[in-house]
């Protein structure tokens, strides 16, 4: 096997003694040879199996010659948009253009097209009419059948038909990509490669499709939302590699898109083999002058320990992409990678993360999953943990202990999302204790997403009482350890099921618990999720019962503003929302009020020694602020109380982690309390 980066030019190909590559990999991301990048894994796996790969990163989609770097490949083209869906990469949930692209040199936006997989495939077809094209990655995987597309607000055909590709390798592709390559290498025509798990192909011969479920025709789901919801439910229930059936969808009465069952999960040995391949763990040196690849900085010193998730949040596409069965690497494999990381001259002693989709999942949910698969129609954690669920943090805890003992490691952080309901379900609290003691940097990010059980039920998340129990346990552990650490909750607005009263309930909860989130995520309807189906159809795909969905942009803005009710720029939206909901009782100066009866026009200029107010009406504002403090038992929020900075921030999402700095920061808390009011 060759060492170094894969060739990105014809000269580099020739320097290796090759006159032709077997596959050309076309990618929407810049070339980063690191196992956190799917393109890197797939190309290294193919290389390990004896195939020659040329890499074309971010070709000029307006120039057909940009695809012709290596000439015609012997076996075919591999196409991916990169680590992200190109449309999510380009647009916010409000469909506004993002300013930067973390997967492009220097973070420059605009180096890849919208719908990159389709555009690249069409570009290839302009020159190479008959060569095999295999598409994969997140963008292709989650558009493998007819799907609702948020950006065009329409139901679109399978990306296999839109792109003109021959095969989709969906989900985790290590097994399927090698099987596809071997089939093509044996001389099979790509049109005959119809038997591989984890792939989608197209045919005009319905009789050739064996033992399969026929989904509603595309024209039916395009016209009928009920049919769309039913079709999605069938697909969702056939995501388990041990139980799933082949499914197919008809287009125009003539063309059939056929999805084979998912590929089997990797064994521990196979996972280890994937991660010991000779990755350069860096971006290509040709990007140095442009400032490198920002996305690499986020994960360069992080360790992937697992994949798959049985948490099944409805707004997450992991079930459709990675599956519910957790696969993990051995401790030895992870320790070996950590030692390689320590030798990097840029390593400063901090391992930024150890985890995956969910940090602490290190094994399947129960013993039967690796032989019989995950239960159809049942969830491991929702609405409460299954009685067969193996709740055990011990293996993950042993791994963390080994990592923090490595010479050269100062701190090992856990920043992957972990399931707080799984932590609560574990009767042994050693994990939470050691997490707080060794693996938190003052703030622990968790994802309750909401606190209204009405909304949480549509998210597939546990009830707020479980989150409250976790908060209580977290605070007790930190108190015992004499640590002043905070929870920073991830929250989501306008998820299907969320009405204005739910958003107000969340705002009240935040006010009561002194939580001031600096970041809020609006629900983003991306392909492949249960929640997106709810958003489009207004139906729960499993029960077919109606689900409220807020589509009005202004009312969505009101829900979002309520989560940050304390921001002056949100005042008008919050006041409008409260009036519309008949909750004028929350407008005033009382302890439970969210906003005052009038918008405060003064601003604060914060300084180290105090604050200055600039406004003709500052005296009235001060009087109002004092009145508010006296009504709400002001000592709890008043900076004159020596413990006030602790009380205000204990269960807190304040952007600053300044409560630990006792002097100047404590004096500032008084002015911040006034600003919130």
């Amino acid at each position: 096997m060759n060492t170094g980066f894969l060739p990105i030019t014809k000269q580099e190909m020739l320097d290796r003694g090759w006159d032709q590559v077997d596959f050309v990999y076309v990618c929407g991301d810049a070339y980063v040879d690191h196992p956190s990048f799917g393109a890197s894994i797939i190309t290294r796996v193919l290389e390990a199996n004896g195939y020659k790969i040329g890499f074309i990163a971010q070709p000029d989609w307006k120039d057909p010659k940009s695809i012709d770097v290596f000439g015609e490949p012997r076996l075919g083209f591999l196409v991916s948009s990169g680590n992200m869906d190109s449309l999510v990469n380009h647009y916010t949930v409000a469909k506004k253009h993002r300013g930067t692209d973390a997967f492009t040199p220097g973070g420059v936006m605009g180096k890849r097209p919208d719908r990159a997989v389709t555009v690249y495939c069409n570009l290839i077809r302009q020159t190479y009419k008959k060569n095999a094209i295999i598409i994969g990655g997140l963008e292709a995987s989650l558009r493998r059948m007819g799907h609702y597309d948020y950006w065009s607000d329409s139901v679109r055909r399978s990306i296999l038909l839109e792109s003109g590709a021959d095969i989709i390798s969906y989900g985790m592709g290590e097994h399927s990509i090698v099987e596809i390559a071997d089939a093509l290498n044996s001389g099979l025509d790509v049109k005959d490669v119809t038997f591989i798990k984890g792939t989608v192909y197209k045919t005009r011969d319905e009789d050739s499709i064996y033992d399969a479920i026929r989904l509603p025709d595309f024209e039916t789901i395009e016209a009928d939302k009920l049919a769309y919801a039913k079709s999605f439910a069938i697909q969702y229930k056939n995501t388990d590699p041990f139980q799933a059936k082949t499914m197919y969808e008809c287009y125009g009465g003539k063309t059939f898109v056929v999805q084979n069952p998912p590929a089997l999960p990797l064994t521990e040995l196979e996972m280890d083999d994937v991660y010991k391949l000779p990755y350069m763990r860096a971006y290509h040196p040709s990007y140095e002058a442009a400032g490198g690849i920002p996305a690499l900085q986020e994960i360069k010193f992080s360790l992937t320990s697992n994949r798959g998730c049985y948490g099944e949040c409805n707004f997450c596409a992991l079930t459709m992409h990675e599956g519910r069965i957790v696969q993990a690497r051995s401790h030895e494999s992870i320790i070996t990678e950590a030692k390689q990381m320590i030798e990097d001259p840029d390593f400063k002693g901090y391992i930024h993360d150890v985890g995956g989709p969910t940090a602490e999942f290190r094994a399947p949910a129960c013993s039967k999953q690796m032989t019989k698969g995950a239960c159809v129609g049942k969830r491991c954690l929702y609405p409460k943990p299954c009685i067969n669920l193996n709740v055990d943090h011990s293996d993950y805890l042993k791994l963390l202990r080994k990592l923090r003992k490595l010479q050269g490691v100062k701190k090992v952080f856990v920043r992957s999302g972990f399931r707080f309901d799984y932590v609560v379900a574990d009767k042994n609290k050693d994990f939470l204790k050691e997490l707080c003691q060794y693996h938190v940097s003052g703030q622990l990010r968790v994802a309750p997403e909401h606190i209204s059980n009405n909304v949480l039920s549509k998210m597939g998340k546990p009830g707020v009482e479980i989150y409250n129990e976790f908060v209580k346990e977290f605070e007790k552990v930190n108190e015992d350890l004499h640590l002043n650490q905070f929870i920073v909750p991830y929250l989501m607005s306008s998820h299907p099921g969320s009405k204005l009263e739910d958003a107000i309930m969340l705002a009240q909860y935040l006010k009561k618990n002194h939580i001031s989130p600096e970041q809020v995520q609006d629900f983003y309807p991306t392909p492949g999720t249960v929640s997106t189906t709810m958003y489009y159809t207004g139906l729960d795909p499993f029960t077919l019962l109606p689900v409220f969905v807020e589509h009005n942009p202004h009312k969505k803005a009101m829900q979002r503003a309520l989560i940050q009710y304390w921001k002056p720029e949100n005042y008008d939206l919050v006041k409008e929302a409260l009036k519309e909901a008949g909750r004028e009782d929350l407008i005033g100066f009382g302890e439970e009020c969210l906003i005052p009866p009038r918008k405060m026009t003064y601003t604060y200029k914060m300084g180290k020694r105090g604050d200055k107010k600039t406004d003709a009406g500052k005296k009235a504002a001060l009087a109002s602020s004092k009145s508010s403090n006296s009504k709400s038992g002001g000592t709890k929020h008043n900076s004159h109380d020596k413990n006030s900075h602790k009380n205000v921030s204990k269960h807190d999402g304040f952007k600053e982690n300044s409560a630990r700095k006792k002097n100047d920061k404590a004096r500032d808390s008084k002015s911040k309390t006034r600003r919130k009011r």
Side-chain angles (χ1 to χ4, degrees):
M1 184 184 298
N2 289 285
T3 58
F5 289 93
L6 298 173
I8 65 169
T9 67
K10 188 169 185 177
Q11 186 58 52
E12 290 178 355
M13 177 187 77
L14 296 173
D15 289 345
R16 291 195 175 204
W18 304 347
D19 57 5
Q20 186 182 31
V21 295
D22 296 319
F23 291 100
V24 172
Y25 196 108
V26 181
C27 187
D29 287 344
Y31 179 25
V32 181
D33 191 27
H34 189 284
S36 291
F37 289 69
S40 181
I41 286 181
I42 293 301
T43 53
R44 288 297 186 185
V45 166
L46 283 170
E47 183 187 43
N49 281 271
Y51 294 101
K52 302 170 184 175
I53 314 297
F55 203 102
I56 301 178
Q58 298 186 321
D60 181 355
W61 70 92
K62 300 174 184 177
D63 181 7
K65 291 182 180 179
S66 65
I67 293 296
D68 202 27
V69 173
F70 301 99
E72 183 175 15
R74 185 173 70 89
L75 297 176
F77 287 88
L78 309 173
V79 179
S80 166
S81 70
N83 264 23
M84 285 184 69
D85 184 294
S86 60
L87 291 169
V88 176
N89 178 277
H90 286 174
Y91 300 99
T92 68
V93 66
K95 302 182 184 178
K96 295 180 180 178
H97 280 279
R98 299 189 193 275
T100 59
D101 180 350
F103 296 90
T104 295
V108 175
M109 179 56 77
K111 294 296 185 180
R112 86 184 81 207
D114 289 354
R115 309 189 190 281
V117 169
T118 297
V119 173
Y120 292 152
C121 289
N122 291 336
L123 189 66
I124 292 168
R125 283 286 181 242
Q126 291 181 41
T127 303
Y128 301 100
K129 307 292 185 184
K130 297 181 180 180
N131 288 76
I133 299 179
I134 300 96
I135 58 178
L138 200 66
E139 183 166 307
S141 181
L142 297 178
R143 289 173 166 82
R144 54 189 186 256
M145 306 299 271
H147 57 279
Y148 172 69
D149 181 81
Y150 171 68
W151 300 271
S152 63
D153 193 24
S154 65
V155 177
R156 297 180 73 102
R157 300 184 301 160
S158 164
I159 196 171
L160 195 61
L161 301 181
E162 289 200 340
S163 67
D166 296 292
I167 304 175
I168 302 173
S169 170
Y170 73 87
M172 301 290 95
E174 291 96 341
H175 282 156
S176 60
I177 199 64
V178 173
E179 292 181 46
I180 292 168
D182 289 347
L184 295 174
N185 192 45
S186 72
L188 277 179
D189 188 281
V190 68
K191 293 181 176 58
D192 296 324
V193 183
T194 62
F195 50 86
I196 296 172
K197 287 188 174 184
T199 64
V200 180
Y201 67 93
K202 55 191 175 186
T203 181
R204 287 181 173 269
D205 181 10
E206 186 176 10
D207 293 336
S208 68
I209 307 169
Y210 176 72
D211 189 23
I213 299 170
R214 178 164 176 164
L215 299 168
D217 293 354
F218 174 76
E219 290 75 19
T220 301
I221 64 170
E222 185 182 33
D224 183 354
K225 292 182 177 181
L226 177 61
Y228 182 99
K230 290 179 178 179
S231 179
F232 178 85
I234 295 170
Q235 294 174 55
Y236 191 90
K237 292 173 183 176
N238 282 273
T239 55
D240 182 81
F242 294 96
Q243 302 179 62
K245 291 279 192 179
T246 300
M247 298 176 289
Y248 68 103
E249 199 172 58
C250 181
Y251 290 79
K254 298 179 180 179
T255 301
F256 303 92
V257 173
V258 186
Q259 176 183 310
N260 288 320
L264 291 173
L266 297 183
T267 64
E268 181 180 87
L269 180 60
E270 289 173 325
M271 282 276 282
D272 288 354
D273 286 343
V274 166
Y275 283 88
K276 74 178 182 183
L277 295 172
Y279 305 100
M280 298 299 292
R281 303 187 63 83
Y283 53 74
H284 195 276
S286 62
Y287 304 137
E288 193 67 43
I293 310 302
L296 179 62
Q297 302 310 312
E298 297 295 323
I299 49 80
K300 186 176 182 181
F301 299 122
S302 296
L303 295 165
T304 299
S305 69
N306 59 37
R307 64 171 57 162
C309 180
Y310 51 78
E312 285 194 271
C313 298
N314 284 340
F315 49 81
C316 179
L318 275 168
T319 295
M320 296 288 280
H321 186 61
E322 290 193 13
R324 294 170 59 188
I325 297 177
V326 171
Q327 304 136 72
R329 298 165 62 188
S330 68
H331 288 197
E332 292 74 19
S333 171
I334 297 169
I335 296 297
T336 298
E337 185 179 357
K339 289 178 178 178
Q340 292 174 340
M341 186 184 296
I342 292 167
E343 294 174 1
D344 190 300
D346 293 330
F347 183 72
K348 305 301 182 185
Y350 300 97
I351 295 177
H352 296 161
D353 192 21
V354 183
T358 303
E360 77 266 43
F361 289 177
R362 291 277 303 158
C366 63
S367 58
K368 74 170 190 175
Q369 282 194 348
M370 287 302 288
T371 56
K372 298 180 180 178
C375 297
V376 177
K378 294 182 180 179
R379 300 196 176 193
C380 302
L381 281 166
Y382 178 82
K384 59 182 180 180
C386 174
I387 58 172
N388 295 316
L389 177 65
N390 181 25
V391 182
D392 185 3
H393 285 89
S394 60
D395 184 68
Y396 185 55
L397 199 51
K398 289 176 184 177
L399 173 62
L400 293 175
R401 288 168 180 167
K402 291 176 183 178
L403 288 169
R404 67 179 187 244
K405 287 180 181 178
L406 291 176
Q407 185 175 359
V409 172
K410 298 176 183 177
K411 187 91 171 180
V412 179
F413 294 111
V414 175
R415 287 173 175 157
S416 290
F418 68 89
R419 291 291 298 220
F420 59 82
D421 49 346
Y422 189 77
V423 174
V424 170
D426 192 348
K427 295 180 180 178
N428 185 335
K429 300 306 176 184
D430 288 347
F431 170 70
L432 184 58
K433 180 179 179 180
E434 291 197 29
L435 177 74
C436 294
Q437 189 169 4
Y438 298 110
H439 304 290
V440 176
S441 60
Q443 296 179 340
L444 179 65
R445 298 182 182 275
V446 294
E449 306 295 356
H450 214 281
I451 58 85
S452 166
N453 285 345
N454 171 53
V455 180
L456 292 169
S457 67
K458 304 301 185 296
M459 292 179 164
K461 298 283 286 186
V464 67
E465 60 278 1
I466 303 299
Y467 176 65
N468 288 338
E469 186 174 348
F470 171 76
V471 170
K472 184 177 180 181
E473 290 183 4
F474 176 83
E475 291 181 346
K476 178 64 167 61
V477 167
N478 279 280
E479 184 178 344
D480 292 344
L481 294 171
H482 305 290
L483 294 173
N484 196 16
Q485 300 189 127
F486 318 112
I487 288 175
V488 179
Y490 287 118
L491 299 170
M492 184 184 296
S493 65
S494 301
H495 185 276
S498 179
K499 299 180 180 179
L500 200 54
E501 50 262 40
D502 297 300
I504 293 171
M505 187 186 305
L506 175 55
Q508 290 179 284
Y509 179 92
L510 298 174
K511 174 73 180 291
K512 179 180 178 181
N513 290 283
H514 312 290
I515 307 170
S516 302
E518 290 292 336
Q519 294 181 336
V520 177
Q521 174 63 55
D522 288 341
F523 168 65
Y524 204 152
T526 55
T529 74
V530 176
S531 298
T532 296
T533 299
M534 291 181 186
Y535 175 86
Y536 170 60
T537 65
L539 300 168
D540 182 319
F542 306 120
T543 66
L544 300 181
L545 295 174
V547 176
F548 172 80
V549 179
E550 186 57 81
H551 288 282
N552 184 290
H554 184 69
K555 292 188 177 182
K556 288 173 70 176
M558 286 196 290
Q559 288 203 28
R560 191 184 190 288
L562 279 160
I563 299 178
Q564 296 175 313
Y565 66 89
W566 45 273
K567 285 193 169 185
E569 61 267 31
N570 289 339
Y571 180 89
D572 292 334
L573 282 170
V574 172
K575 190 170 186 178
E576 181 183 355
L578 294 175
K579 285 187 173 182
E580 182 172 319
R583 295 303 307 271
E584 287 93 338
D585 59 301
L586 298 178
I587 302 173
F589 296 108
E591 182 178 358
E592 296 182 356
C593 292
L594 298 178
I595 56 173
R598 62 188 178 281
K599 189 172 185 178
M600 299 303 183
T601 57
Y602 59 82
T603 59
Y604 283 94
K605 294 182 179 179
M606 300 300 297
K608 287 186 177 180
R609 295 295 177 185
D611 60 278
K612 295 181 181 180
K613 296 177 183 176
T614 58
D615 188 79
K618 71 177 183 179
K619 291 184 179 179
L622 281 168
S624 296
S625 180
K626 290 178 180 177
S627 172
S628 176
N629 279 337
S630 65
K631 291 180 181 179
S632 59
T635 54
K636 184 174 182 180
H637 303 279
N638 195 313
S639 62
H640 292 299
D641 178 358
K642 65 181 180 180
N643 293 318
S644 66
H645 64 285
K646 180 178 178 181
N647 291 333
V648 171
S649 303
K650 195 171 185 181
H651 169 203
D652 205 349
F654 286 134
K655 184 176 182 181
E656 77 277 7
N657 194 13
S658 59
R660 291 171 294 172
K661 299 177 180 180
K662 295 183 179 179
N663 297 323
D664 292 341
K665 296 297 183 178
R667 282 192 290 270
D668 284 348
S669 68
K670 181 177 180 179
S671 57
K672 290 187 178 182
T673 300
R674 289 172 179 163
R675 181 175 61 181
K676 284 173 63 178
R677 300 200 185 284

